Amino acid sequence: MQTDNEKYNETVQPNTAFLNELKAKLPEFFTKEGSFDLDKFRNQLKDKNVNELSEGYQLDFIGKDYARRQAGEMPTTVIVPDEKQNQGEGKNSKNLFFTGDNLEVLRHLQNNYQNKIDVIYIDPPYNTGNDGFVYPDNFEYSDDKLRDMFGLDDDQVERLKSIQGKSSHSSWLTFMYPRLFLAKKLLTEHGIIFVSIDDNEQPNLSLLMGNIFGESSYSGTFVWKRTDTPANLSKTIKQSTEYIISYCKNRGNVRFFGKNKKSISNNGLMNQTNSEHELIFPANKVDTNLEDGIYKKGSYGTKNYKITLEKDTEVNEGYFVKPVVLSGKFKWSQSNLNSEISRGTQISIKTKAFSPSYEKKEYDPEVPQSLIDKKVGVDTNENAQNYLNSLIGKKIFNNPKPTSLIKYLINFLHKDNCTVMDFFAGSSTTADAVMQLNAEDDGHRKFIMVQKPEKTYEVDKETGEAKLDKSGNRIPTKGGKAAYEAGYMTIDPISRERIRRAAKKIRKDNELTLPKDFDGSFKHYRVVKPAKQTLENIEDFDPNNTNLFTNMVDGFSSQSLEVAGDAAGEDTILTTWLAKDGYSFDTNVEEIKLGNYTAHQVENNRLYLINEGWGADQTRELLNQLGTHQLEVQSVVLFGYSFNVAELRELENGLKQLDSKVTLIKRY
């Protein structure tokens, strides 16, 4: 039989993701059958004098409809917890690291992280022809299915299939579209996304992001000086910069904060164009060069500025120890003055003219300039390469981004408890940057990293086996040779090791000042497809059979899935379902005993029944606990493959007889 997600994916159309988003925001334009009422929508537009047929432009490319369809599909993978990491060094961490295809990870996170990510930074493949990018997806559908799904003729089907294994602009856009579409849904209303790119795909990326986020959400394109020694590879230009394109979820909610500008001189508080009014300067808050003593009320000021001291005041050891009450044409109101003093701005009255001035410790951060270079404290690739080499012990990654760049971008948000995501993690520069910022300002930022387990050796596309040289040794990939020779068979463990080493360095460098709750670890999850045998067992499963011949739960253990982590099948299924049902990965899960059967309860809301072994005794015990309110849940969610038809009917009928409504959800 088909899984629930497979059944859903068969119904997905190119506009499914768009319609789901539209339904969430404009439910009044959908019929009870779930269809969009276009006539009602047109009439509403006319009522508002909006011309929905106005001319415009859009980005078109081979594979666009296929990419749109991918954005609407549900995941076909499972989330396998790395129990060794999660119950060990990462037990109390709020940070997350996912190993797997980032498109599948983004699909999983749509329910439990939608509208919860503050900053997304990604450094995707640039499609230069030298970065190894080729479109990774092999179309799983027959030609007939492609014709039916997209309304294509034979020539159009061939054009669509032509992007497979290619590095064309169309293949790159098809790759990026669903990932950016799903990323947008994860951002908070104040959220920002930054995407690094060079000039090869920069024009296309700008159009694509405008298409997905909306032109009104464009917040700017930054130019980062990535090197002081550009290569001499062109006859026309030495390329020393890259671009960082930025979009907001809702631009009206976002202001970027750049570097703080330091005050370098005193600033007078007088202004001839202002109206005359009184200011009261609090005692012991105004410094002065005047001699100690009493200063009588009266007229002071200068030839250009009239200032009146309204009450006697006193100076002692460089400060006015009594309030200074002045009248004059001042720039600030009393509330402005009070606010500035509370923020640490120093007020001075240096001379007998009693003309006040101020010096701020820091001005409000300026809106950042479009150029990012060493003048704003951001390093180059060379600096980043040297830092990473020393951290790892050898050169494994080429051209990593500097942590100073990511820190600079994150700080645009001016928020020290934000969640930062990078779903092209690479060497985990973003995680390192987040930890460094937390160490610097006692912040509580969290990171979510996603890295595909890219092999560091060449693989035959048809067999999936490693390519061997004449001596029978694996052949390293062009960019993975150093990593392979260092013993890394895939990229992701290097990424995780960088986080561990960076955290160790931060602890050493900040031994005396590091906050006690500094989070220098992560929880780790692998997102993988079920094994071939498990898929065959699912396909052969008959829900009407009274006998269960195969324990389907075991097929989802880390051992059956051939990944590390010591996860039981029940752990994998429960973790996958918790994400599906909107729970975070640190949700408290309580074990509930029903006879000799162990169920799992979450937030007095859901009870999960996953393992085999359920029978009439368990049904009676569950109904008893629910009926006597020993157990309070709104729904019971069960793994359909662990229950035969008789057990299901008995449980279903029993729940229907309860006074309190408890929904039974069967999943396959």
Side-chain angles (χ1 to χ4, degrees):
M1 65 178 293
Q2 288 181 302
T3 66
D4 297 332
N5 285 7
E6 286 174 337
K7 290 177 183 177
Y8 176 86
N9 287 345
E10 281 204 341
T11 67
V12 173
Q13 298 297 321
N15 65 348
T16 295
F18 171 72
L19 287 176
N20 287 340
E21 193 169 14
L22 199 61
K23 189 173 184 179
K25 295 178 179 177
L26 299 171
E28 66 271 24
F29 293 106
F30 285 79
T31 66
K32 62 181 180 180
E33 291 81 18
S35 301
F36 183 65
D37 191 335
L38 187 58
D39 289 336
K40 182 179 179 181
F41 187 67
R42 280 200 180 105
N43 289 334
Q44 187 73 2
L45 289 176
K46 290 176 182 176
D47 291 343
K48 301 293 184 183
N49 295 317
V50 177
N51 178 14
E52 76 276 19
L53 300 178
S54 60
E55 292 184 2
Y57 70 94
Q58 60 179 337
L59 175 65
D60 284 319
F61 52 91
I62 299 171
K64 183 176 181 180
D65 280 346
Y66 183 75
R68 291 172 62 212
R69 188 183 192 280
Q70 282 189 312
E73 291 183 350
M74 296 180 73
T76 56
T77 51
V78 290
I79 306 173
V80 189
D82 183 343
E83 294 295 346
K84 184 177 180 181
Q85 169 73 17
N86 299 355
Q87 299 305 319
E89 65 176 85
K91 185 174 183 179
N92 298 315
S93 179
K94 302 294 184 183
N95 301 316
L96 302 175
F97 191 107
F98 293 92
T99 298
D101 178 359
N102 55 16
L103 180 56
E104 279 289 292
V105 175
L106 290 167
R107 286 169 176 158
H108 279 294
L109 298 184
Q110 290 304 298
N111 295 311
N112 60 345
Y113 273 89
Q114 190 168 149
N115 302 318
K116 292 183 179 179
I117 307 296
D118 299 287
V119 179
I120 295 176
Y121 170 81
I122 58 172
D123 186 17
Y126 288 2
N127 197 22
T128 60
N130 297 317
D131 60 3
F133 171 77
V134 293
Y135 185 67
D137 191 28
N138 291 320
F139 296 112
E140 55 188 294
Y141 307 106
S142 65
D143 289 0
D144 288 340
K145 184 70 174 176
L146 291 172
R147 289 188 196 96
D148 182 56
M149 282 193 299
F150 304 115
L152 306 176
D153 59 31
D154 290 346
D155 290 341
Q156 290 170 325
V157 168
E158 288 305 311
R159 287 186 70 207
L160 174 58
K161 292 171 67 176
S162 72
I163 69 173
Q164 294 179 114
K166 297 294 194 322
S167 58
S168 64
H169 293 301
S170 287
S171 61
W172 188 83
L173 289 166
T174 303
F175 172 77
M176 291 298 295
Y177 181 97
R179 290 162 172 81
L180 290 171
F181 185 93
L182 295 175
K184 175 190 174 184
K185 295 172 72 175
L186 298 181
L187 287 172
T188 67
E189 286 303 304
H190 298 81
I192 317 164
I193 183 171
F194 300 101
V195 184
S196 282
I197 201 69
D198 69 1
D199 45 0
N200 184 57
E201 292 290 358
Q202 185 268 335
N204 289 327
L205 179 62
S206 295
L207 288 172
L208 181 63
M209 294 185 73
N211 182 285
I212 292 171
F213 288 85
E215 293 178 18
S216 62
S217 295
Y218 175 64
S219 54
T221 296
F222 297 91
V223 180
W224 167 53
K225 187 176 182 183
R226 65 176 179 81
T227 180
D228 292 322
T229 56
N232 217 353
L233 301 176
S234 169
K235 294 181 179 180
T236 57
I237 186 172
K238 283 186 177 182
Q239 194 63 52
S240 61
T241 59
E242 286 183 5
Y243 303 97
I244 301 171
I245 300 175
S246 173
Y247 273 79
C248 303
K249 180 76 166 279
N250 183 343
R251 189 179 177 186
N253 288 333
V254 177
R255 178 189 187 276
F256 283 1
F257 295 88
K259 289 287 185 180
N260 287 353
K261 180 181 176 183
K262 303 291 183 180
S263 177
I264 57 174
S265 62
N266 285 341
N267 301 274
L269 264 180
M270 309 302 296
N271 189 346
Q272 285 284 26
T273 61
N274 285 38
S275 60
E276 186 172 319
H277 59 279
E278 182 180 277
L279 285 182
I280 302 174
F281 297 84
N284 300 307
K285 293 293 184 181
V286 181
D287 67 21
T288 183
N289 293 333
L290 295 176
E291 295 180 358
D292 292 355
I294 304 295
Y295 290 81
K296 297 291 186 180
K297 66 179 182 179
S299 296
Y300 292 86
T302 66
K303 183 177 180 180
N304 295 324
Y305 292 103
K306 178 185 175 183
I307 298 173
T308 302
L309 178 62
E310 301 289 353
K311 295 182 179 180
D312 294 353
T313 187
E314 182 179 354
V315 172
N316 186 34
E317 295 184 354
Y319 276 88
F320 283 92
V321 293
K322 290 184 178 180
V324 182
V325 184
L326 299 177
S327 293
K329 294 183 176 182
F330 301 116
K331 295 178 182 178
W332 291 350
S333 65
Q334 187 67 50
S335 61
N336 290 139
L337 174 64
N338 296 342
S339 175
E340 289 296 336
I341 291 174
S342 69
R343 294 170 61 184
T345 298
Q346 182 59 52
I347 308 297
S348 301
I349 297 177
K350 298 293 187 182
T351 68
K352 289 183 178 180
F354 271 83
S355 178
S357 63
Y358 66 93
E359 183 176 4
K360 294 186 179 185
K361 290 184 178 179
E362 290 182 344
Y363 285 100
D364 289 336
E366 297 179 317
V367 172
Q369 297 181 18
S370 60
L371 179 62
I372 300 176
D373 59 10
K374 290 182 178 179
K375 291 181 180 178
V376 295
V378 174
D379 293 324
T380 62
N381 265 146
E382 290 90 347
N383 301 118
Q385 189 72 68
N386 292 335
Y387 167 76
L388 185 58
N389 292 352
S390 64
L391 196 64
I392 298 295
K394 59 180 65 180
K395 183 177 180 179
I396 292 180
F397 275 94
N398 291 320
N399 300 315
K401 294 294 186 288
T403 53
S404 54
L405 172 64
I406 314 302
K407 288 162 65 177
Y408 183 66
L409 298 175
I410 293 172
N411 269 336
F412 285 176
L413 200 63
H414 225 237
K415 186 178 179 183
D416 65 3
N417 63 341
C418 58
T419 300
V420 182
M421 183 180 195
D422 184 346
F423 52 87
F424 288 95
S427 63
S428 277
T429 299
T430 300
D432 193 347
V434 167
M435 293 189 296
Q436 286 185 33
L437 282 174
N438 286 340
E440 290 169 11
D441 63 8
D442 293 350
H444 293 85
R445 303 169 187 84
K446 299 179 287 291
F447 63 73
I448 301 176
M449 299 289 105
V450 186
Q451 177 56 44
K452 186 177 180 180
E454 299 176 43
K455 290 183 170 58
T456 57
Y457 55 87
E458 294 186 8
V459 176
D460 187 284
K461 292 181 180 179
E462 293 186 5
T463 65
E465 299 294 326
K467 291 183 179 180
L468 306 177
D469 60 20
K470 293 179 180 179
S471 301
N473 299 315
R474 290 170 173 166
I475 303 172
T477 60
K478 182 179 179 181
K481 185 177 180 181
Y484 180 81
E485 291 177 347
Y488 295 104
M489 298 299 103
T490 57
I491 296 297
D492 56 291
I494 313 173
S495 192
R496 295 191 295 276
E497 182 62 21
R498 193 261 180 86
I499 296 174
R500 294 187 180 100
R501 296 194 183 196
K504 183 178 180 180
K505 184 179 188 318
I506 290 169
R507 290 189 179 99
K508 181 180 178 181
D509 293 346
N510 301 273
E511 186 176 358
L512 299 178
T513 60
L514 197 67
K516 291 182 179 180
D517 59 354
F518 171 73
D519 191 347
S521 191
F522 54 88
K523 285 186 169 64
H524 179 214
Y525 300 88
R526 291 180 171 88
V527 174
V528 300
K529 284 190 174 293
K532 182 180 179 182
Q533 184 60 55
T534 301
L535 293 173
E536 289 176 357
N537 292 339
I538 289 173
E539 189 173 344
D540 295 338
F541 183 79
D542 182 0
N544 296 313
N545 201 326
T546 56
N547 296 309
L548 301 175
F549 298 103
T550 305
N551 186 332
M552 302 288 276
V553 176
D554 286 346
F556 294 94
S557 67
S558 54
Q559 183 178 1
S560 296
L561 294 167
E562 298 183 348
V563 296
D566 301 329
E570 185 181 29
D571 299 328
T572 297
I573 295 166
L574 182 60
T575 302
T576 306
W577 283 2
L578 289 173
K580 179 183 180 72
D581 294 335
Y583 297 108
S584 66
F585 289 93
D586 58 357
T587 295
N588 183 43
V589 180
E590 183 181 357
E591 288 190 355
I592 303 294
K593 285 291 185 181
L594 300 166
N596 61 356
Y597 188 95
T598 302
H600 296 86
Q601 183 184 13
V602 180
E603 295 181 1
N604 292 327
N605 185 16
R606 294 205 160 192
L607 186 71
Y608 293 95
L609 312 178
I610 296 173
N611 276 327
E612 291 186 354
W614 188 271
D617 291 343
Q618 282 72 31
T619 297
R620 281 193 295 272
E621 178 64 22
L622 174 61
L623 295 176
N624 176 58
Q625 290 196 31
L626 290 171
T628 58
H629 301 290
Q630 298 175 58
L631 186 62
E632 298 280 355
V633 295
Q634 297 177 15
S635 57
V636 174
V637 186
L638 59 82
F639 188 57
Y641 303 107
S642 293
F643 292 77
N644 66 37
V645 64
E647 295 164 351
L648 276 176
R649 286 173 182 165
E650 184 179 29
L651 178 57
E652 197 164 15
N653 290 334
L655 291 175
K656 288 179 180 178
Q657 294 172 19
L658 291 173
D659 292 334
S660 57
K661 183 174 175 59
V662 178
T663 305
L664 180 65
I665 301 172
K666 295 170 281 188
R667 286 181 177 163
Y668 293 95

